[in-house]
């Protein structure tokens, strides 16, 4: 890959994914601490869920053949959730509550709204169909069935599901360690007084948020001065303790851009011009055993590049199940995009809105590569192919932020 030719964003993604070596080291982690972790192997159920037939209603467990409308039957037992009932005596019914086990012999539950109780006996206004209001053992999960596939990331639903099959500990992959550093003598931290020529280090705050949302363990090395020596030192330190080293800024080929030279000295580097707007320069390489990724310094360029290219790479690196492609849906543009870019695919900041009962995409008016307002306002990106203009009313590709990150 030469530095001069522009690489399509699809080709860049394919290349990055081909280089993503999934983690393999596993550890056993208690469910309460396993949020966001990635399952190392598939999880199978050691039991049926629910473990026994149980009542879906408060009512009466009956033998359906014995129930005749308005005929009295004696109530021989009371079964609450958590009880272990004996068999249902013939010619009788059992008072039963939601979640309680169905006694042997009963084949239906009649809900209490259809029952008229009088002391120890009850009559029903309706007959019963076999199986009604009974949740069957194994209805949710059958014993030995696959509960979760290998590579699943454990969100709240997955943790609840693992708990329902009784697993206290899960074998998960260790977290991916990502070091972040921010280049630029112009950078100051929020809370500091801004002196002439300085700007605040905004990239630090969205980048850490994105990495943490993906479940990475972040090592934050802060701001690195624009000098070759300082950059080399910081990169070597970061690589020694991390799986992936991510930098922001300094990857162009200006005199103050030291990342490229520093990585070339410490490891190896490809510098790509990617045919996307915003975004363009992206560096990828190796330092010792760590992968190196250099994001562009412009906040929106860095953010968009991260969502489209780096998030999928990180997911694969974490050992998560592969995603075939970006989450794209087609929606109606509520805007014109009259300026076509001859070479680059543009990813513009949009958000969904409802107009006359139809979902449309609105465009943020300022699309500059440094305008972070656009990211905070938008809920996704619209993809505009190279050499294409958009007319309001046209169907275009929409990539929601939440799905790009999920
Ligand atoms: P660079 O890639 O270093 O040439 O930076 C491109 C632009 O992004 C410049 O205007 C920088 O000031 C800006 N920039 C670089 N790093 C950051 C950062 N961490 N936070 C906010 N802006 C940044
Ligand atoms: Mg810079």
């Amino acid at each position: 890959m030469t530095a001069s030719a522009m690489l399509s964003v699809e080709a860049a993604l394919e290349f990055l994914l081909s280089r993503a070596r999934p983690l393999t080291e596993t550890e056993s982690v208690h469910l309460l601490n396993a949020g966001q972790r990635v399952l190392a192997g598939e999880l199978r159920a050691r039991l049926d869920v629910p473990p026994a037939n149980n009542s879906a209603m408060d009512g009466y467990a009956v033998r359906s053949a014995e129930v005749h409308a308005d005929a009295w039957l004696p109530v021989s037992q009371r079964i609450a959730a958590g009880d272990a009932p004996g068999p249902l005596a013939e010619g009788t019914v059992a008072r039963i509550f939601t979640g309680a086990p169905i006694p042997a012999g009963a084949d239906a539950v009649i809900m209490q709204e259809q029952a008229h109780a009088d002391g120890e006996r009850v009559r029903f206004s309706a007959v019963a169909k076999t199986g009604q209001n009974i949740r069957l053992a194994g209805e949710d999960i059958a014993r030995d069935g696959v509960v979760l596939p290998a590579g699943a990331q454990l969100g709240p639903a997955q943790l609840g599901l693992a708990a329902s099959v009784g697993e206290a500990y899960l074998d998960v992959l260790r977290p991916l360690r990502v070091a972040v550093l921010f280049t630029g003598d112009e950078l100051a931290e929020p809370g500091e007084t801004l002196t002439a020529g300085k700007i605040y280090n905004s990239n630090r705050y969205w980048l850490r948020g994105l990495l943490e949302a993906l479940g990475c363990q972040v090592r934050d090395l802060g701001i690195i001065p624009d000098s070759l020596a300082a950059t080399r030192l910081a990169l070597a330190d970061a690589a020694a303790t991390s799986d992936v080293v991510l930098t922001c800024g300094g990857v162009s080929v200006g005199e103050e851009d030291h990342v490229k030279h520093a990585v070339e000295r410490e490891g190896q580097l490809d510098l790509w011009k990617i045919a996307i707007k915003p975004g363009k320069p992206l560096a990828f390489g190796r330092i010792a055993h760590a992968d190196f990724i250099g994001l562009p310094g412009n906040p929106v360029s860095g953010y968009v590049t991260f969502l489209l290219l780096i998030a999928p790479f990180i997911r694969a690196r974490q050992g998560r199940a592969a995603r075939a492609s970006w989450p794209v849906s087609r929606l109606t543009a509520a805007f014109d995009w009259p300026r076509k870019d001859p070479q680059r695919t543009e990813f513009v900041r949009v958000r969904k809105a409802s107009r006359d009962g139809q979902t449309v995409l609105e465009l943020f008016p300022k699309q500059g590569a440094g305008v972070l307002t656009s990211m905070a306002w938008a809920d996704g990106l619209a993809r505009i192919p190279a050499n294409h203009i958009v007319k309001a009313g046209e169907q275009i590709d929409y990539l929601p932020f939440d799905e790009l990150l999920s």
Side-chain angles (χ1 to χ4, degrees):
M1 233 160 305
T2 63
S4 53
M6 279 216 277
L7 188 65
S8 77
V9 60
E10 291 82 7
L13 179 62
E14 201 175 310
F15 179 82
L16 281 169
L17 291 178
S18 76
R19 292 293 185 92
R21 303 156 294 144
L23 289 177
T24 52
E25 296 110 293
T26 64
E27 53 195 353
S28 177
V29 173
H30 191 272
L31 272 191
L32 287 173
N33 300 318
Q36 288 194 312
R37 301 293 289 274
V38 177
L39 207 56
E42 67 183 10
L43 179 66
R44 285 177 176 270
R46 289 189 242 209
L47 76 175
D48 284 329
V49 179
N53 293 351
N54 67 91
S55 180
M57 294 278 180
D58 289 340
Y60 294 84
V62 302
R63 288 186 159 83
S64 56
E66 292 177 356
V67 174
H68 305 286
D70 296 322
W72 290 99
L73 287 163
V75 180
S76 58
Q77 56 176 321
R78 182 181 186 279
I79 312 165
D83 290 346
L88 182 65
E90 278 183 37
T92 74
V93 302
R95 181 75 170 115
I96 197 164
F97 299 92
T98 304
I102 304 294
D107 66 354
V109 169
I110 300 178
M111 60 169 137
Q112 63 190 18
E113 289 77 1
Q114 295 175 338
H116 307 278
D118 171 25
E120 293 306 297
R121 57 184 201 152
V122 64
R123 67 185 162 82
F124 301 104
S125 56
V127 294
K129 272 207 313 244
T130 305
Q132 80 178 26
N133 300 325
I134 293 180
R135 301 192 286 223
L136 294 175
E139 193 176 280
D140 183 358
I141 305 158
R143 183 197 182 100
D144 293 331
V146 175
V147 179
L148 289 167
Q153 195 180 36
L154 301 168
Q158 289 73 20
L159 292 172
L161 189 58
S164 75
V165 295
E167 302 293 338
Y169 289 85
L170 295 175
D171 285 332
V172 296
L173 296 163
R174 72 162 171 79
L176 189 72
R177 295 185 296 246
V178 181
V180 292
L181 34 110
F182 305 88
T183 70
D185 284 344
E186 72 276 36
L187 299 178
E189 283 301 325
E192 292 173 12
T193 308
L194 210 61
T195 52
K198 304 272 187 174
I199 59 167
Y200 286 121
N201 180 8
S202 53
N203 287 350
R204 182 184 201 184
Y205 297 84
W206 58 255
L207 182 58
R208 281 188 57 162
L210 292 178
L211 289 167
E212 282 159 11
L214 286 168
C216 299
Q217 203 173 74
V218 180
R219 178 157 178 243
D220 187 345
L221 295 170
I223 298 167
I224 307 302
D226 280 328
S227 88
L228 183 59
T231 309
R232 284 186 66 173
L233 214 59
L235 288 174
D237 173 26
T241 55
S242 309
D243 304 303
V244 178
V245 176
L246 256 174
T247 62
C248 265
V251 287
S252 307
V253 284
E255 277 170 34
E256 295 298 331
D257 296 317
H258 300 288
V259 173
K260 177 177 182 289
H261 297 300
V263 179
E264 280 165 351
R265 305 276 164 84
E266 297 295 328
Q268 68 177 71
L269 179 88
D270 280 322
L271 186 60
W272 304 335
K273 280 190 207 148
I274 300 176
I276 57 170
K277 196 176 171 185
K280 218 151 74 177
L282 180 74
F284 180 77
R286 287 290 284 275
I287 305 171
H289 296 291
D291 297 314
F292 168 79
I293 293 165
L295 287 170
N298 269 312
V300 179
S301 304
Y303 204 132
V304 169
T305 305
F306 186 95
L307 289 177
L308 294 174
L309 297 175
I310 310 310
F313 174 80
I314 283 180
R315 262 197 296 272
R317 199 69 176 72
Q318 287 174 312
R320 286 168 66 179
R323 264 254 208 84
S325 56
W326 291 302
V328 181
S329 54
R330 302 278 288 170
L331 283 173
T332 306
F335 60 90
D336 290 321
W337 187 258
R339 299 158 290 172
K340 58 180 159 192
D341 189 291
Q343 288 176 30
R344 296 193 277 168
T345 306
E346 297 201 45
F347 289 90
V348 295
R349 271 72 65 216
V350 295
R351 83 177 174 199
K352 286 198 280 191
S354 182
R355 289 216 192 139
D356 307 324
Q358 201 200 4
T359 303
V360 298
L361 294 175
E362 291 178 339
L363 180 75
F364 191 72
K366 287 179 269 176
Q367 293 286 334
V371 181
L372 258 187
T373 324
S374 69
M375 293 301 302
W377 178 92
D379 58 19
L381 301 169
R383 174 166 63 184
I384 303 174
N387 248 322
H388 188 84
I389 59 164
V390 174
K391 288 232 158 56
E394 190 178 324
Q395 295 280 298
I396 58 172
D397 288 341
Y398 169 68
L399 293 76
F401 290 149
D402 54 354
E403 286 184 46
L404 282 166
L405 255 193
S406 66

